Structures are given as C-alpha cells and as structure tokens.
C-alpha cells in the first residue's frame, strides 16, 4: 500500500483593514445615523418631501427649514424621550422573554478556528409570529387607531434615537467585554480574524469578538450577534411598515395597493429568513465578521428605519399600481425570490448533505482545506448568484413610489385640479407640484444602496476566500467567471 501523503493547507494571507480603515469606520459609524435623521426630516408630514426650502438653496434659511421639517422646539434634546426609550427597551425585553419561553430548535454552529462548535437556539419564527398575531389582534379590535401604530407615528423620531443609542451601547459593551477572551477557553470564545487590529475605533466598528454571548438573569445565554440579526430589527421592519399603512388609513380613510404590495412582499422576504433561520450559520455575518458597531447599527437601526422609507412616503402620498402594475411587481419579486431561495437552498443542502439526490450530481473543486467549491448548478452560473436574486427583489420595494415627491399645502389652499391633490384628514392638501421627482433619492435609495452593499460584500467575500483557499480559489474563479450578474459582472 502506498504511503499516505499529508497535503499542507493553504497558508492564510494577512487580514488588513476593510471599509476604508479607521477613517471609513468613523464615517460609517457617525455618518449613517446622521443620514437616518436627514431622511426623517427631509421627508416629513409638515411641509413635504423634500422640504420646500431644500428646493430653493439660494434662499435657504435655517430657521425656515427647521419649521418646515418639524425640528423639536426644545432643540437637540427633543430628538429623544424617556417615553420612547422605555417603549423600545420593553420591546427588546419582550423579545428576550419569547426567545427563552417558546419552543426552539437547537443545533450546532459551523466549526470554529479552535475546532469547537457553538450551540444555537432557534425560535425566531415562533417568537415573531406570536408578536405579529398580538399586533393583528389589536388592529382587528381597534383598527388604524390601535395605540401601537399611533405611538410609532407620533414618536418615530424619538424611537429612531433610542435605537441608535441601543446599537451604540451594545457595540461598546461587546467591545469592552472582548478583552476578556482568553486562548483555549472552554466557552469557545474567539476574536474575529479582522477585528483586533489595535485601532480602537476600527475594532469597535468592525467587532473584536466573533460570537459574543451573554448570560441574562431569568433568560439564560444569548448569542448577541445571532439574536440581533433576525429578531428586533427584522421584526421592527414589519412593524414600521404596518404603522405606515395605519397612518395612510388615518390620513385618507383607505389603503392603496402600492403600500400593501410593499408591506406584503417585504414581510414575505423577512418571514422567509425566519423560517430558514439555521441557514444563517453559514453566512459571512456569523462565520467571519465580528460583532461591533457595523452589525449592531445595521441590524437594529438601518434595516427597520431605512428599509421602511417607501411605506413612510406612501402614507402621505398614496399611489395606485392598478392590476397591471401590481402583476409586474409580483412577477419581479417572484423572479428574485426564486433565484435567491433556490440558490441558497442548493448551497445549504450541499454543505449539510452532499449525497442528497438534489445536489449529488453537482460538480465541484476539492480544495486543500477540505472544502468543496461548486462549479455547476446555481453556483456555476455566478459566484454569488443569490445576490442577483436579492437585488431583483429590491426593485418592487421602490418602484411603487413612482416619480416621488410631494408638497403639503395649508387647509383651504387653492390647488388646480390637474395636479391630483390628496386631502389629509386635517384638511391640508398633498400635491406633487415642484417637488415631483425630487424625493426619488430617498424612495429609491434602497435599490442603489443595496447594489453597492452586495458588490462590496462580494468583494469582501472574494478576499476572504482567497485568504482561505489560496490557489484553489484562483482555479475556481477561472471556472466560474462571473461574480454576480452572468455575462455582465
């Protein structure tokens, strides 16, 4: 018998800065919260979307702009309130209680660098479904005046601030606590490969510890990163969309097909992630990235407050898709979802059971690390074909807003019939006027941002795989040439 030859694994390359290093980390950490406030004020229910003064920069007056956007009368202190902060804290505590008391699927995570595997408890689908049922019951009983929906509309700005402060607080907590990670610990605690550069700001942003966990009295152990990924923020996304649907009904006495379309298709996308929760264990967020400001802010603030801007807009300026428009949106979402879910399911099946009949025929490259890289099936079309499906799904989130922009006229103002005015419950009129098209940077921000996000994420994954697989990755890229869009990119 020939002697067995031990093949050396590829030597990992050094892990440098990402996101532009410390300067980029500072810009994202403090610039994106500012952008959330800009969206909130620029598109408002007082003067229009955008505020009229923003359309006349030569005559722009700060005091006039403050009046138009609804800047708090008590200044910067009005951005927050104890009432909204307490409500947000109660929401998080309620989520934690459901996490502990409801039935759950328990499984092992992927193998860590130390060779160990963490235990995970999955019941997001049950927890958030129960939350949705409670909200539905309240809505059935009290309609659009259900106190939860009214509270969100009246305290939206303060809820945004509370969420930002919570994300900052969690990021700081896990950063400080990460310094207690010791080599060879029995809890399988590890530092993220790119999260301990020694630069305080960058490490706080990117995340030092890979899978920070904390034991909470009466709740037990919680994996902070996995818990934040699909629970408060994703559930908050649906809640905010629903609140804006209720707001549209309170404003006009009806709900349009456009706002229903966006709310439903986004809810299906979110519920799908809850149903396939175990699949999150193979994503870059869980396996590679540390948990810091980047993920804390993204999960808890960016997702619910930025991704719901379209329904917020439509609550003030209703649009009707009609049968053909609605069919087109559903066709787009169906195509995107099919690509996204089919590709991810194929990859997950191959990783967990390569002998499954649905994937056993697929060809692959065997790497020196022991991993297998698919070269046929969905993953033979493009290296991140799932991202294409994800991006296609983003278009029906924005298209229903049309050529966005509106102005709010005082009650009793004379408006020409041709402009198609909407009359708010308080008698004010909403028209497009000179604002037509100027709100598109807000309502279509998501589709542009998401494209940039996916391209950047693909580039990060490419670098990670090159470090991990070395020459095998370069060989794989010659077989599967396209990154996301076959024939284009």
């Amino acid at each position: 018998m020939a002697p067995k030859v031990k093949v050396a694994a590829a030597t990992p390359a050094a892990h440098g800065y990402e996101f532009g290093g410390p300067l980029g980390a500072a810009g994202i950490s403090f610039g994106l919260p500012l952008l959330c406030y800009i969206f909130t004020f620029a598109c408002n229910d007082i003067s229009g979307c955008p505020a009229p003064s923003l359309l006349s920069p030569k005559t722009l007056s700060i005091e006039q702009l403050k009046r138009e956007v609804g800047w708090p009368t008590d200044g910067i202190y009005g951005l927050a309130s104890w009432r909204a902060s307490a409500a947000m804290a109660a929401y998080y505590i309620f989520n934690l209680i459901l996490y502990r008391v409801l039935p759950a699927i328990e499984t092992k995570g992927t193998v860590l660098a130390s060779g160990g595997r963490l235990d995970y408890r999955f019941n997001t689908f049950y927890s958030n479904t129960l939350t949705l049922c409670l909200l539905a019951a309240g809505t059935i009983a009290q309609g659009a005046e259900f106190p939860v929906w009214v509270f969100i509309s009246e305290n939206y700005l303060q809820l945004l601030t509370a969420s930002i402060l919570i994300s900052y607080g969690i990021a700081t907590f896990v950063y400080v606590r990460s310094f207690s990670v010791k080599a060879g610990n029995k809890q399988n605690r590890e530092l993220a490969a790119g999260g301990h550069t020694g630069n305080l700001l960058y490490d706080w942003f990117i995340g030092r510890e890979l899978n920070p966990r904390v034991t909470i009295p009466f709740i037990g152990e919680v994996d902070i990163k996995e818990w934040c990924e699909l629970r408060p923020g994703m559930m908050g996304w649906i809640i905010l969309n629903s609140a804006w649907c209720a707001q549209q009904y309170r404003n006009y006495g009806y709900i349009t097909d456009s706002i229903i379309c966006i709310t439903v298709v986004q809810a299906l996308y979110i519920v799908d992630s809850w149903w396939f929760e175990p699949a999150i264990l193979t994503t870059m967020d869980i396996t590679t990235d540390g948990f810091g400001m980047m993920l804390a802010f993204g999960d808890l603030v960016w997702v619910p407050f930025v991704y719901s801007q379209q329904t917020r807009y439509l609550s003030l300026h209703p649009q009707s898709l009609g049968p053909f428009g609605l069919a087109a949106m559903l066709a787009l979402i169906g195509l995107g979802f099919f690509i996204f879910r089919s590709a991810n399911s194929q990859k997950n099946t191959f990783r967990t059971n390569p002998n499954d009949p649905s994937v056993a025929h697929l060809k692959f490259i065997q790497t020196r690390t022991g991993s297998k890289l698919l070269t046929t099936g969905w993953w033979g079309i493009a290296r991140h074909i799932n991202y294409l499906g994800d991006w296609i799904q983003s278009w029906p989130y924005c298209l229903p807003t049309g050529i966005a922009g509106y102005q709010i006229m005082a009650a009793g103002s004379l408006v020409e019939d041709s402009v198609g005015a909407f009359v708010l419950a308080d008698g004010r009129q909403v028209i497009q006027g000179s604002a037509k098209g100027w709100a598109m940077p807000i309502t279509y921000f998501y589709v542009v941002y998401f494209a940039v996000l996916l391209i950047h994420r693909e580039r990060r994954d490419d670098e990670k795989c090159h470090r991990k697989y070395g020459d095998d990755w370069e060989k794989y890229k010659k077989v599967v040439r396209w990154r996301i869009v076959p024939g284009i990119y």
Side-chain angles (χ1 to χ4, degrees):
M1 179 183 293
K4 293 183 179 180
V5 178
K6 185 177 181 180
V7 179
T11 303
H15 202 304
Y17 282 136
E18 297 179 297
F19 295 95
L23 187 61
I28 295 172
S29 298
F30 305 107
L32 292 189
L34 181 60
L35 184 60
C36 290
Y37 284 119
I38 290 174
F39 283 166
T40 300
F41 286 117
C43 195
N44 60 77
D45 61 356
I46 297 173
S47 61
C49 181
S53 290
L54 296 176
L55 300 178
S56 305
K58 290 184 179 180
T59 59
L60 180 63
S61 163
I62 296 300
E63 291 305 315
Q64 176 65 17
L65 183 61
K66 284 183 177 180
R67 288 192 292 270
E68 290 178 353
V69 302
W71 183 256
T73 55
D74 48 352
I76 194 171
Y77 297 104
L79 298 178
S81 75
W82 289 110
R83 190 162 174 252
S85 299
M88 189 61 72
Y91 170 66
Y92 276 72
I93 292 171
F94 180 67
N95 269 277
L96 285 168
I97 292 172
L98 294 183
Y99 168 76
R100 175 47 50 193
V101 302
L102 293 181
I105 298 172
E106 298 187 0
T107 187
K108 294 282 187 181
T110 57
V111 179
L112 301 169
S114 63
R117 300 175 71 184
L118 292 169
D119 294 318
Y120 285 89
R121 176 181 173 83
F122 292 136
N123 66 0
T124 298
F125 182 81
Y126 301 130
S127 299
N128 289 346
T129 298
L130 176 59
T131 303
L132 287 175
C133 288
L134 293 174
L135 292 172
T139 305
I140 291 171
Q142 296 179 286
E145 299 295 335
F146 180 44
V148 171
W149 308 140
V150 176
F151 182 86
I152 290 173
S153 296
E154 294 179 348
N155 297 272
Y156 177 77
L157 177 62
Q158 292 74 26
L159 291 171
L160 169 62
T161 301
S163 297
I164 292 173
L165 293 177
I166 288 173
S167 70
Y168 274 37
I170 292 177
T172 302
F173 170 76
V174 296
Y175 173 78
V176 173
R177 190 170 179 271
S178 69
F179 288 94
S180 64
V181 175
K182 305 296 181 183
N185 63 84
K186 296 181 180 180
Q187 294 79 31
N188 286 319
R189 296 180 66 192
E190 292 186 0
L191 298 180
H196 49 105
T197 65
N199 183 282
L200 187 153
L201 177 61
Y202 180 81
D203 291 347
W204 173 77
F205 163 76
I206 204 73
R208 289 190 87 248
E209 188 170 353
L210 183 63
N211 302 110
R213 296 185 165 208
V214 63
T215 300
I216 303 174
F218 307 109
I219 300 297
E221 185 179 65
V222 177
D223 186 294
I224 300 176
K225 180 164 67 171
E226 194 282 326
W227 188 82
C228 288
E229 190 85 5
L230 294 178
R231 289 174 181 269
M234 295 288 266
M235 182 71 236
W237 186 2
I238 293 182
I239 290 175
L240 285 176
N241 278 343
S242 301
W244 298 128
C245 286
Q247 181 67 55
Q248 187 186 77
Y249 188 84
R250 290 198 300 274
N251 285 336
Y252 299 106
Y254 59 83
I255 301 178
T256 56
D257 55 4
S258 58
I259 199 170
I260 293 175
C261 175
I262 294 175
T263 300
V264 171
V265 297
Q266 288 184 345
L268 290 175
Y269 175 82
I270 296 165
V271 171
D272 173 77
S273 70
W274 299 342
W275 182 259
F276 292 97
E277 187 177 11
I280 196 177
L281 295 181
T282 60
T283 63
M284 183 186 297
D285 286 356
I286 300 297
T287 63
T288 305
D289 293 334
F291 187 76
M293 172 59 186
M294 179 181 73
L295 288 181
F297 179 82
D299 292 341
L300 307 180
V301 182
W302 193 254
V303 166
F305 288 92
V306 174
Y307 291 9
S308 60
Q309 285 300 314
Q310 293 80 22
T311 52
R312 182 170 176 258
Y313 171 87
L314 291 170
S315 71
L316 267 297
H317 190 244
Q319 297 292 304
S320 179
L321 291 171
F324 294 106
L326 186 60
M329 295 304 105
L330 294 178
L332 265 181
I333 200 74
L335 173 63
F337 182 79
F338 172 72
I339 296 173
F340 173 79
R341 178 47 57 201
S342 298
N344 281 340
S345 296
Q346 186 180 80
K347 177 179 67 174
N348 196 51
T349 300
F350 185 78
R351 283 180 171 177
T352 56
N353 182 18
N355 295 319
D356 188 286
S358 65
V359 297
H361 64 286
L362 298 178
K363 296 180 181 179
F364 57 85
I365 291 176
Q366 179 73 56
T367 70
R368 287 179 288 174
T369 65
S371 299
K372 299 174 181 178
L373 303 174
L374 287 171
T375 57
T376 58
W378 280 112
W379 301 92
I381 299 174
R383 301 198 288 272
H384 276 290
I385 190 68
N386 57 329
Y387 288 0
L388 175 60
D390 224 359
W391 190 63
I392 291 174
Q393 290 183 84
S394 70
W395 279 96
Y397 300 171
C398 304
L399 288 171
T401 63
I403 303 176
Y406 62 78
Q407 293 177 303
I408 299 180
M409 313 299 291
S413 298
L414 293 177
V415 180
E416 295 181 10
D417 293 338
S418 60
V419 298
F422 298 96
V423 181
L424 291 167
D426 58 10
R428 292 178 299 161
Q429 294 178 317
V430 180
I431 64 171
Q432 286 210 284
S434 60
K436 185 175 183 179
W438 286 102
M440 292 181 71
I442 296 176
T443 63
Y444 285 81
F445 173 81
Y446 177 79
V447 75
V448 177
Y449 152 78
F450 203 45
V452 174
L453 172 72
L454 294 175
I455 291 172
H456 182 262
R457 180 177 283 256
E458 186 278 328
R459 294 291 177 131
R460 291 183 65 216
D461 188 61
D462 183 73
E463 291 178 8
K464 183 200 77 170
C465 291
H466 178 73
R467 289 193 299 268
K468 181 177 181 180
Y469 301 120
D471 292 340
D472 288 328
W473 183 248
E474 298 307 314
K475 178 182 177 182
Y476 165 73
K477 288 165 67 173
K478 291 179 180 178
V479 178
V480 184
R481 296 175 52 205
W482 303 107
R483 294 173 180 266
I484 299 176
V485 185
I488 299 176
Y489 175 78

